[in-house]
Amino acid sequence: MDGAELAGKIFYTWLTLVLGFILLPSAFGVSLGISEIYLKILVKTLEWATIRIEKGASKESVLKSSASVGIIQRDESPMEKGLSGLRGRDFELSDVFYFSKKGLEAIVEDEVTQRFSSEELVSWNLLTRTNVNFHYISLRLTTVWVLGVVVRYCVLLPLRVTLAFIGISLLVIGATLVGQLPDSSLKNRLSELVHLTCCRICVRALSGTIHYHNKQYRPQKGGICVANHTSPIDVLILTTDGCYAMVGQVHGGLMGIIQRAMVKACPHVWFERSEMKDRHLVTKRLKEHIADKKKLPILIFPEGTCINNTSVMMFKKGSFEIGGTIHPVAIKYNPQFGDAFWNSSKYNMVSYLLRVMTSWAIVCDVWYMPPMTREEGEDAVQFANRVKSAIAVQGGLTELPWDGGLKRAKVKDTFKEEQQKNYSKMIVGNGSLTSDLD
Amino acid sequence: MGSRASTLLRDEELEEIKKETGFSHSQITRLYSRFTSLDKGENGTLSREDFQRIPELAINPLGDRIINAFFPEGEDQVNFRGFMRTLAHFRPIEDNEKSKDMNGPEPLNSRSNKLHFAFRLYDLDKDDKISRDELLQVLEKVDVEQKMSIRFLH
């Protein structure tokens, strides 16, 4: 009897603590500063660890800041210079040098494939999973690491799982209840309250610390919000600061339950899988949504897939053909505290969430940017590239013209043909072919 | 703790590759991480599909021939040794190597081995169809050392 009573008492106190310190402040949007203190301690510990590693490393030849420097120094000369000749020159056997060098450079280090796996860290952050190039240094460091493992798995993980559970249940129950009310401003306000509270709880479930910049540019109703995509958590991060209408496929299981509950409280745009293929249908429904100025701004990720937060890849033009005002948002995670990137080919959703919940924290910056509209004489692709550059510059990310779909698909042959065309233009000259009629 | 990358690449193997190719310790480790990240099947070898997954190589007009250069006659898989052996052709020729003794085997990145590699890119069916004299005459004036070298960082 005693054991069960004791367990019951502990559970009861645990719940009260959680309620008092986390749930109630979330409801009112107030922060008690616990996460700030936690982060400060964490930063100090990691700095100490970095110094220890560097001291230990000076004995061996461990690469310093190898990740940021790269394996090779690429020769960026364009085709004309690399083939050392004027236009209209003849084919030479030595032309093969340029192409083979470019090819081998790509094999050793290319711009695209590295974006589909987690970023390498400059210095170790005491997580086993990021330990790739670092050797055993000292007993003290190992002790700190073991302590870290205990704290993360035995203290933080149960807390976070509890919070996540509470957050999601509250969302489903709250949204369904609010959905029973007739349409009115009260309903909207209540739905906003439910929404924001549950998102704040879920963010705390990840020990998330988010800095919002330029809040004056927060996306307005009737607009489209566009952001770079790193993981499903992006949605959580953005909705903690404002309500959006989500766009996406209807899922089954837990996601489906959440989706159906959410759509009762405020209108989201969920598509069946078959409907997603029909681009005109998608565009039409989105146009209808933004035409109604009372509806929430739509949230879209034009990259179409998760990228590892070091660069921004091609924006698909579909979202930019709808019209309306685009509100760009840049999201940058700090990889030191935890890797937010979802490598969907390596981890499924559940193991991804577990990895996130056993990291130190999720720290990120969100920059709201001034709204953009399509200019005269600019087509959707150019507009998409303009928005992409703006987001890349703001977030400090590199910009790549490559398609994020290359994660799974092969490059289209048209790109190879373009390279071949460029080369043949050089050989043949300015397009005028002399033809000998024999 | 320990390092995951080097437990899979044994020290003896590393030393052998170092002697054969002339890459430094850290360069070999970095290239080994690259090799494993390309190896989607996680079986210690690369297939042609693994190479074709690199977009910048796929759009290279000579992409297929370059990929073939990695695979020995009739084989479909290349291991790390083979990978490094082919990459070694592109290592820059350092001054202190030029005056090495003539008794040992010729280093993989010598001028003539670089030329040999380029020759093989043309000679697809490996039957010496290009006349060697012609090739050498054309290439006499070309800066092979610079054009067929990639700057590997330490």
Side-chain angles (χ1 to χ4, degrees), chain B:
Chain B
M1 261 188 303
S3 155
R4 236 181 275 139
S6 62
T7 44
L8 296 172
L9 179 67
R10 294 185 316 279
D11 277 333
E12 315 98 58
E13 220 184 315
L14 213 153
E15 286 301 316
E16 281 173 40
I17 296 177
K18 193 168 172 181
K19 238 185 284 173
E20 194 183 352
T21 61
F23 282 114
S24 76
H25 195 108
S26 56
Q27 286 168 343
I28 298 177
T29 326
R30 287 307 307 278
L31 288 168
Y32 187 70
S33 320
R34 174 63 173 171
F35 179 84
T36 40
S37 73
L38 288 174
D39 180 13
K40 292 282 183 250
E42 289 186 359
N43 53 357
T45 60
L46 293 179
S47 65
R48 286 192 170 78
E49 283 75 37
D50 289 322
F51 283 103
Q52 277 155 358
R53 222 174 275 125
I54 305 172
E56 290 173 43
L57 184 63
I59 65 168
N60 189 318
L62 288 183
D64 291 322
R65 300 196 198 192
I66 296 170
I67 294 173
N68 273 330
F70 279 86
F71 294 88
E73 188 64 55
E75 288 190 24
D76 279 328
Q77 303 284 330
V78 57
N79 61 9
F80 185 56
R81 294 290 289 272
F83 182 70
M84 291 302 281
R85 222 172 274 136
T86 317
L87 283 184
H89 289 298
F90 280 79
R91 208 168 60 80
I93 302 173
E94 270 123 48
D95 286 325
N96 60 355
E97 281 178 274
K98 283 196 180 135
S99 49
K100 270 248 176 81
D101 61 323
M102 286 304 156
N103 294 338
E106 203 177 348
L108 283 169
N109 65 337
S110 67
R111 183 192 166 98
S112 75
N113 270 327
K114 286 182 196 281
L115 286 170
H116 213 118
F117 183 83
F119 177 89
R120 284 203 299 271
L121 286 180
Y122 280 113
D123 191 13
L124 281 181
D125 40 8
K126 303 201 197 322
D127 63 351
D128 291 334
K129 271 252 162 83
I130 311 173
S131 134
R132 278 174 76 209
D133 286 356
E134 241 174 33
L135 181 67
L136 289 174
Q137 200 179 31
V138 168
L139 298 174
E140 235 174 50
K141 306 187 191 74
V142 175
D143 185 5
V144 175
E145 281 90 341
Q146 200 264 311
K147 281 224 158 69
M148 289 276 281
S149 298
I150 299 174
R151 293 183 65 179
F152 286 90
L153 299 171
H154 296 287

Side-chain angles (χ1 to χ4, degrees), chain A residues 14-284:
Chain A
W14 167 255
L15 268 185
T16 329
L17 279 175
V18 166
L19 195 74
F21 281 113
I22 299 176
L23 293 179
L24 282 178
S26 311
F28 296 107
V30 162
S31 167
L32 285 177
I34 302 179
S35 0
E36 275 84 2
I37 301 174
Y38 167 63
L39 275 184
K40 279 208 189 87
I41 301 177
L42 200 54
V43 166
K44 286 242 155 43
T45 320
L46 290 179
E47 272 171 12
W48 172 83
T50 316
I51 296 175
R52 298 282 323 186
I53 293 175
E54 277 173 10
K55 261 200 235 151
S58 54
K59 297 176 205 146
E60 319 172 13
S61 58
V62 175
L63 315 152
K64 277 216 182 115
S65 63
S66 59
S68 49
V69 173
I71 311 180
I72 55 175
Q73 185 173 350
R74 298 195 72 156
D75 186 359
E76 298 287 354
S77 49
M79 215 191 272
E80 281 89 7
K81 196 154 160 284
L83 291 169
S84 76
L86 312 154
R87 297 180 69 105
R89 55 192 265 300
D90 285 331
F91 165 76
E92 283 180 25
L93 281 171
S94 59
D95 286 348
V96 74
F97 292 159
Y98 173 77
F99 290 111
S100 58
K101 177 166 164 173
K102 277 261 158 285
L104 263 107
E105 279 180 345
I107 291 179
V108 173
E109 188 173 60
D110 81 302
E111 280 297 324
V112 183
T113 54
Q114 51 164 297
R115 311 293 171 189
F116 301 137
S117 57
S118 302
E119 190 184 353
E120 258 187 68
L121 289 174
V122 175
S123 66
W124 191 39
N125 64 348
L126 295 178
L127 293 175
T128 329
R129 61 192 72 141
T130 50
N131 184 3
V132 175
N133 280 326
F134 302 100
H135 305 268
Y136 175 81
I137 302 292
S138 74
L139 184 62
R140 244 190 279 178
L141 198 62
T142 323
T143 334
V144 172
W145 172 72
V146 170
L147 198 64
V149 171
V150 167
V151 165
R152 278 184 295 124
Y153 280 84
C154 305
V155 175
L156 292 178
L157 182 63
L159 174 65
R160 288 173 180 168
V161 171
T162 323
L163 284 177
F165 186 68
I166 296 177
I168 296 179
S169 333
L170 270 181
L171 180 65
V172 172
I173 298 172
T176 322
L177 285 177
V178 172
Q180 306 302 324
L181 298 172
D183 279 329
S184 64
S185 65
L186 177 67
K187 177 179 180 185
N188 291 340
R189 264 188 285 137
L190 275 182
S191 117
E192 232 185 88
L193 179 68
V194 163
H195 204 87
L196 287 176
T197 312
C198 297
C199 283
R200 284 193 200 117
I201 297 175
C202 288
V203 164
R204 287 216 185 15
L206 303 170
S207 294
T209 306
I210 311 169
H211 297 281
Y212 296 98
H213 305 265
N214 303 335
K215 281 201 184 180
Q216 70 270 23
Y217 294 126
R218 202 185 297 168
Q220 304 298 322
K221 293 202 168 130
I224 303 177
C225 175
V226 151
N228 58 318
H229 200 29
T230 308
S231 94
I233 295 181
D234 289 343
V235 174
L236 197 62
I237 298 214
L238 287 177
T239 51
T240 316
D241 196 44
C243 290
Y244 297 92
M246 323 273 189
V247 177
Q249 264 182 27
V250 170
H251 286 99
L254 180 63
M255 279 297 299
I257 299 176
I258 300 177
Q259 282 177 331
R260 281 193 292 277
M262 282 169 76
V263 89
K264 287 198 184 102
C266 70
H268 296 281
V269 189
W270 301 125
F271 290 101
E272 300 291 333
R273 180 149 256 169
S274 49
E275 288 176 320
M276 289 289 296
K277 304 272 173 74
D278 186 350
R279 273 188 44 206
H280 291 293
L281 178 68
V282 171
T283 317
K284 186 160 140 286

Side-chain angles (χ1 to χ4, degrees), chain A residues 414-429:
Chain A
T414 44
F415 290 105
K416 182 166 177 178
E417 284 159 22
E418 213 180 293
Q419 290 273 309
Q420 290 171 321
K421 238 196 313 203
N422 286 344
Y423 180 52
S424 54
K425 265 199 215 132
M426 285 184 59
I427 307 278
V428 168

